[in-house]
Amino acid sequence: MDKAEFDRFADAYEDQHRENIALTGEGPEYFAEYKVRALREIVDRAGIGVKRICDFGSGIGNSIPYFHHYFPETALTSSDVSERSLALGRQRYPEAGNCVLIENNRIPVEDDSFDVVFSACVFHHIPHGEHLSWLQELHRITRPGGLIAIFEHNPLNPLTVRAVNTCPFDENARLIFAGDLGKRLQAGGWASSRIRYNLFFPRALARLRPFENRLGWLPLGAQYVATARKA
């Protein structure tokens, strides 16, 4: 999906997303919060000091309020190829912080600018042949010792595949197997890559969600997170 397509879908994205995930019993807010909450746990386990975070492919800003909640002392930079999406994010959350428009296959920030780079279901919109160059670009903007966390849909989960195949916003999406993303991270210069699966239970089975932390090894979750460090 290119810039023009993202701009075209930006205004309708929230409603389309809410309708598409209705079968889970949750709204977009639930999924946005879980990712940022998980990132907080990942960062704490790794013992990383976080002053600056880049949200790569931030869209219309669904993650912004949760970054403010879970990382209250951290400066957030939202980045996206869609100028319309960034504008909507600023409109929805005036406290959004810094926003940068990605152009010419480059994020317009200095080298080593961020402690953490976060990506929420973005890479399946990027042609697979371009993954390596973007992982290298994200490596460039991350400081030594910093961390990347990429959340993606799991193509091994049939409900996830169904949701993607029926969502207009995902009409050009190509899901990524976790193992392939892990290999691309290593090829992009990242070290110590790890995969953890998430989102095993819909709202109807919410009482079982406390057990999800024990199931991260099981490749049946609706999504997964790939993490790595910059040496």
Side-chain angles (χ1 to χ4, degrees):
M1 183 175 285
D2 61 21
K3 176 185 182 299
E5 287 180 292
F6 275 118
D7 283 342
R8 177 166 58 89
F9 277 106
D11 289 271
Y13 173 77
E14 182 74 2
D15 290 339
Q16 287 185 357
H17 184 35
R18 189 175 299 277
E19 180 180 351
N20 190 242
I21 62 176
L23 62 89
T24 70
E26 302 289 359
E29 303 82 8
Y30 173 82
F31 295 99
E33 180 178 14
Y34 114 77
K35 294 181 183 71
V36 181
R37 184 176 67 245
L39 179 66
R40 177 79 262 180
E41 295 170 357
I42 291 166
V43 164
D44 289 346
R45 284 196 302 268
I48 299 174
V50 182
K51 295 182 179 179
R52 299 161 299 172
I53 292 177
C54 177
D55 184 354
F56 173 67
S58 56
I60 63 172
N62 282 351
S63 298
I64 290 172
Y66 306 109
F67 276 115
H68 287 313
H69 177 75
Y70 290 101
F71 294 88
E73 305 301 321
T74 300
L76 175 66
T77 293
S78 299
S79 63
D80 206 282
V81 298
S82 168
E83 192 167 7
R84 178 57 181 163
S85 295
L86 290 172
L88 286 171
R90 288 191 294 266
Q91 179 181 319
R92 297 170 74 207
Y93 304 106
E95 74 284 9
N98 189 36
C99 295
V100 297
L101 182 65
I102 300 171
E103 295 182 294
N104 302 316
N105 297 321
R106 188 178 187 278
I107 304 167
V109 299
E110 298 296 323
D111 295 359
D112 306 332
S113 290
F114 299 100
D115 304 296
V116 170
V117 169
F118 168 90
S119 174
C121 297
V122 171
F123 271 81
H124 63 264
H125 290 294
I126 299 174
H128 285 213
E130 298 178 12
H131 285 181
L132 180 58
S133 63
W134 281 111
L135 291 171
Q136 291 170 334
E137 174 68 357
L138 295 174
H139 188 273
R140 178 188 70 80
I141 69 172
T142 304
R143 68 161 173 84
L147 177 139
I148 188 171
I150 301 174
F151 290 80
E152 271 299 330
H153 295 316
N154 180 14
L156 296 176
N157 183 291
L159 292 180
T160 293
V161 173
R162 178 184 180 277
V164 170
N165 288 342
T166 58
C167 181
F169 187 73
D170 289 331
E171 62 184 10
N172 291 320
R174 273 189 65 204
L175 298 185
I176 312 153
F177 288 99
D180 290 340
L181 184 54
K183 292 175 183 176
R184 290 167 193 170
L185 280 163
Q186 293 177 15
W190 295 92
S192 305
S193 63
R194 297 184 61 188
I195 303 294
R196 185 173 181 83
Y197 293 89
N198 303 304
L199 296 177
F200 291 86
F201 304 111
R203 187 172 184 176
L205 297 174
R207 66 186 182 280
L208 298 177
R209 286 175 178 169
F211 296 102
E212 289 194 343
N213 283 337
R214 304 180 187 179
L215 298 174
W217 58 272
L218 184 64
L220 296 178
Q223 294 185 357
Y224 63 86
V225 56
T227 59
R229 302 287 294 271
K230 180 173 178 176

